[in-house]
Amino acid sequence: MQKKLPTIKEIANRLNISVSTVSRALHDHPSIGLRTKTRVQQLANELGYEPNQTAIFFKQRKTFTIGVVLPYLIEDFFAGAISGIEDVANQNKYNVLIGQSHDDVEREKAIITAMKNQRVDGIIVSLSKHTKNLEHFTSLQKYQIPVVFFDRVPASGEYSKVAFDMPQGTHEAISYLMEKGHRRIGIINGPKEMKSSRERTDTYMNVMKKKRLKIDLSLVAYSDLTKEGTASAMESLLTLRQPPTAILAINDYVALDAIQYARSHKLKNNKDIFFVSYANLPITNYLESPPMASIEQYPGKQGAKAAEILLNLINHEGDNDPVHENVLIRGELIVHKR
Amino acid sequence: MQKKLPTIKEIANRLNISVSTVSRALHDHPSIGLRTKTRVQQLANELGYEPNQTAIFFKQRKTFTIGVVLPYLIEDFFAGAISGIEDVANQNKYNVLIGQSHDDVEREKAIITAMKNQRVDGIIVSLSKHTKNLEHFTSLQKYQIPVVFFDRVPASGEYSKVAFDMPQGTHEAISYLMEKGHRRIGIINGPKEMKSSRERTDTYMNVMKKKRLKIDLSLVAYSDLTKEGTASAMESLLTLRQPPTAILAINDYVALDAIQYARSHKLKNNKDIFFVSYANLPITNYLESPPMASIEQYPGKQGAKAAEILLNLINHEGDNDPVHENVLIRGELIVHKR
DNA sequence: CTGTTAGCGCGTTCAT
DNA sequence: ATGAACGCGCTAACAG
């Protein structure tokens, strides 16, 4: 029953030659006679020989595998990112091993350890929401395992990272709203701890300053990303003496919750109030009343870029001067037709 | 620079004992003295010893890795499925290797070959749209690599599979519509080649027959899943002398296209015409005018179930009577509040 | 309780 | 042009 897979040894025995000859023949080594070469290759075909990668990995200390660690596979953004990663990896004959942290630091650590033990050649990470301590990543450096962060990247430190260009995207969004005549623009951020919240707020203030408009921090609200959190953020904005005429929301889902809230308070979207949000759900086309525009963040592109950088790092590990690329992916403002 | 990882050999040398003793100590082997055991374990900790999994995989002829091959990672359904797979695998200390076929048979084959060579312990597959010949899967059997199909499963043959229970789900949907008083119910299938189209149509006819209602095949339309295809399907339905009062659509996206079409023809959704569709997009809650109901197909559950079956198969490969489970996942009718 | 040895499959010197 | 021999790190059968 145990149909054993053929090995080079078996081929060697059958042909009464040595394993090293077989190995060479299979690799088209120049010093092998044409005759033996063809004999070997033919028998290999007949037997359906396939090299045992586990042996090769072991021997070469290289697995042609990259690990990807991210919070949730199911989220649109991450699904898009991993798709991009897999494409690039595949083109370069690399495999992709995945792990979801579920935004749990302990799981994140465990996954990293497992991947390290499995000798993946490199790792791509989008941090768990609560990861403060980066030790489990820094320790990888001494094992020569390069790491590239994307989207949820460390706030500081010498790392390779790929992330959305928040200043650029936000600038574009605000400019767009201003062109449309808006002067009081509200913001709904995610939790204050998120790097993106700070960045968004900072950019907002910079743009306002540049345009010589008064900065009013009561226009900046925070949501924990739940429907309720967004509702209370909206409440705080709409009950201002001078409520905003347009709102920039952290993502489409939050924007939709906000639109619902507005509607329930007799404010008609795209008439009484306007929204622009980040990430661009495929679904927005189907909405009767979508946000006015979304800022596409190109998850697939981010993933692909992260993979490219990682592969570069892997193939230059000899260089003892690892350059840490810090790539920003430009967002694009997509105006939704209605 | 090359910080070499500690091996059991190194530990053995430092302690002047043999590698096998170290190996046993690390594995808590009963026949090792408490004293040496602690000495070994302590040194292992100090050195930060971690077993080299590539060596273990090689030696054990087992990789604790399962491969997952599916068309597109980015589709909601598949993203959900792989998330469920990863969860189950993770709980059982298995790794997950992914590959996207992009609905291309050649890529599918290449991925399978690579996974085979890498000696994954088993494979979970959702077939590419065009896969007719299953040879690349059947050949896996002789290498003792079990395979479980899900969602896009082979129409026939002795395989383990997990799929949506189309008859049950469709029956439930139609019953619901009938309760609401509908007697002329239209169908928008996917392409005729899809197994699900046949199943849906068959179930539809069965239900109608059972309810002693006249079967009218002009009520069954097909869409290639593009907006245009759906529009022409809708046209064929709405121009019938007796157009349907409710429509069952292959999925939410198609339903949304259909709703748009209806609206552009002055038919108000959930008033003049009603829709029920399969798969349950998270977004439906945000729609002003969603389908009346969706049939949730539980992608995560399908993935998880497939993984469970696969792990069972892997751990019973000794049994020379491999039972091929054929699991149907019950759909659930989710009525959308508006 | 512990040590010795063999071997998993492959690539790679080093000989010849 | 080919072969012999070694070792990657680990486990396990066999021997004390």
Side-chain angles (χ1 to χ4, degrees), chain A residues 188 218 221 228-240 243-244 247 258 261-262 265:
Chain A
I188 302 180
S218 63
E228 296 72 30
T230 300
S232 75
M234 279 296 283
E235 189 186 354
S236 75
L237 291 177
L238 295 186
T239 53
L240 292 174
I247 292 176
Y261 181 92
H265 285 67

Side-chain angles (χ1 to χ4, degrees), chain B residues 104-138:
Chain B
D104 172 343
V105 183
E106 290 312 313
R107 277 179 92 149
E108 188 174 87
K109 281 188 195 168
I111 293 169
I112 293 293
T113 302
M115 288 184 172
K116 179 185 65 184
N117 294 350
Q118 238 185 309
R119 305 298 192 263
V120 297
D121 294 336
I123 299 183
I124 294 177
V125 184
S126 193
L127 290 170
S128 115
K129 201 186 295 185
H130 312 104
T131 303
K132 300 281 173 219
N133 188 331
L134 294 171
E135 217 170 321
H136 47 303
F137 296 110
T138 52

Side-chain angles (χ1 to χ4, degrees), chain A residues 65-276:
Chain A
T65 300
I66 66 184
V68 180
V69 190
L70 37 72
Y72 295 99
L73 240 18
I74 207 177
E75 284 188 17
D76 292 330
F77 181 87
F78 293 120
I82 201 162
S83 175
I85 292 171
E86 204 268 341
D87 285 337
V88 171
N90 199 260
Q91 281 163 31
N92 293 275
K93 307 283 184 198
Y94 273 74
N95 303 308
V96 178
L97 208 54
I98 57 170
Q100 314 186 62
S101 69
H102 289 270
D103 271 333
D104 173 341
V105 183
E106 290 312 313
R107 277 178 92 150
E108 188 175 87
K109 281 188 197 169
I111 294 169
I112 293 294
T113 302
M115 288 183 172
K116 178 184 64 182
N117 295 349
Q118 246 191 302
R119 305 295 191 265
V120 296
D121 294 335
I123 299 183
I124 294 178
V125 184
S126 193
L127 290 170
S128 115
K129 201 186 297 185
H130 311 105
T131 303
K132 300 281 174 217
N133 188 330
L134 295 172
E135 217 169 321
H136 47 303
F137 297 110
T138 52
S139 79
L140 288 173
Q141 309 205 338
K142 62 172 186 268
Y143 299 122
Q144 331 271 112
I145 302 180
V147 179
V148 176
F149 294 92
F150 80 98
D151 190 51
R152 302 232 205 120
V153 304
S156 62
E158 277 299 297
Y159 302 106
S160 296
K161 22 190 171 174
V162 176
F164 174 64
D165 189 340
M166 181 64 76
Q168 175 265 332
T170 301
H171 188 282
E172 200 163 313
I174 295 180
S175 299
Y176 174 75
L177 287 173
M178 293 216 161
E179 274 171 34
K180 296 286 176 186
H182 297 281
R183 288 300 172 268
R184 302 264 311 156
I185 298 173
I187 303 256
I188 302 180
N189 273 321
K192 279 194 174 122
E193 303 82 63
M194 286 180 77
K195 187 184 166 203
S196 74
S197 299
R198 281 202 318 282
E199 284 189 329
R200 191 176 292 104
T201 307
D202 288 350
T203 307
Y204 175 66
M205 299 202 306
N206 285 339
V207 175
M208 297 308 260
K209 199 177 297 173
K210 207 178 298 172
K211 307 249 179 192
R212 308 209 174 274
L213 288 168
K214 184 179 85 201
I215 293 171
D216 180 353
L217 279 182
S218 63
L219 283 171
V220 178
Y222 295 87
S223 164
D224 61 2
L225 307 186
T226 64
K227 198 187 201 68
E228 296 72 30
T230 300
S232 75
M234 279 296 283
E235 189 186 354
S236 75
L237 291 177
L238 295 186
T239 53
L240 292 174
R241 265 150 315 174
Q242 288 186 58
T245 57
I247 292 176
L248 200 53
I250 175 175
N251 66 36
D252 290 336
Y253 285 107
V254 166
L256 292 174
D257 283 332
I259 289 171
Q260 263 188 358
Y261 181 92
R263 186 189 311 148
S264 70
H265 285 67
K266 310 292 173 211
L267 288 178
K268 212 162 152 19
N269 180 35
N270 288 317
K271 180 153 171 282
D272 307 319
I273 189 160
F274 296 80
F275 289 86
V276 173

Side-chain angles (χ1 to χ4, degrees), chain B residues 312-326:
Chain B
N312 254 325
L313 248 32
I314 290 174
N315 296 319
H316 295 332
E317 57 175 317
D319 315 7
N320 34 13
D321 196 356
V323 190
H324 288 298
E325 289 195 62
N326 190 344

Side-chain angles (χ1 to χ4, degrees), chain B residues 12-111:
Chain B
N13 286 341
R14 295 212 192 201
L15 260 38
N16 276 319
I17 57 179
S18 80
V19 290
S20 47
T21 304
V22 175
S23 173
R24 291 183 186 114
L26 258 15
H27 288 255
D28 241 5
H29 194 285
S31 78
I32 296 291
L34 180 61
R35 198 180 133 55
T36 39
K37 195 179 287 186
T38 46
R39 277 190 6 158
V40 168
Q41 290 174 346
Q42 199 195 317
L43 182 57
N45 275 336
E46 272 177 36
L47 298 178
Y49 169 81
E50 297 277 0
N52 181 339
Q53 292 293 353
T54 65
I56 297 176
F57 291 167
F58 170 48
K59 167 108 184 103
Q60 311 289 70
R61 287 119 175 284
K62 177 140 174 55
T63 56
F64 286 98
T65 299
I66 66 184
V68 180
V69 190
L70 37 70
Y72 295 99
L73 241 17
I74 208 178
E75 284 188 18
D76 292 333
F77 181 88
F78 293 120
I82 201 161
S83 175
I85 292 171
E86 204 268 341
D87 286 337
V88 171
N90 198 259
Q91 282 162 30
N92 293 275
K93 309 283 182 197
Y94 273 74
N95 302 308
V96 178
L97 208 55
I98 56 170
Q100 313 186 64
S101 70
H102 288 270
D103 271 334
D104 172 343
V105 183
E106 290 312 313
R107 277 179 92 149
E108 188 174 87
K109 281 188 195 168
I111 293 169

Side-chain angles (χ1 to χ4, degrees), chain A residues 18 21 24 31 33 36 59 61:
Chain A
S18 79
T21 305
R24 291 183 186 115
S31 78
T36 39
K59 173 132 188 60
R61 286 119 176 277

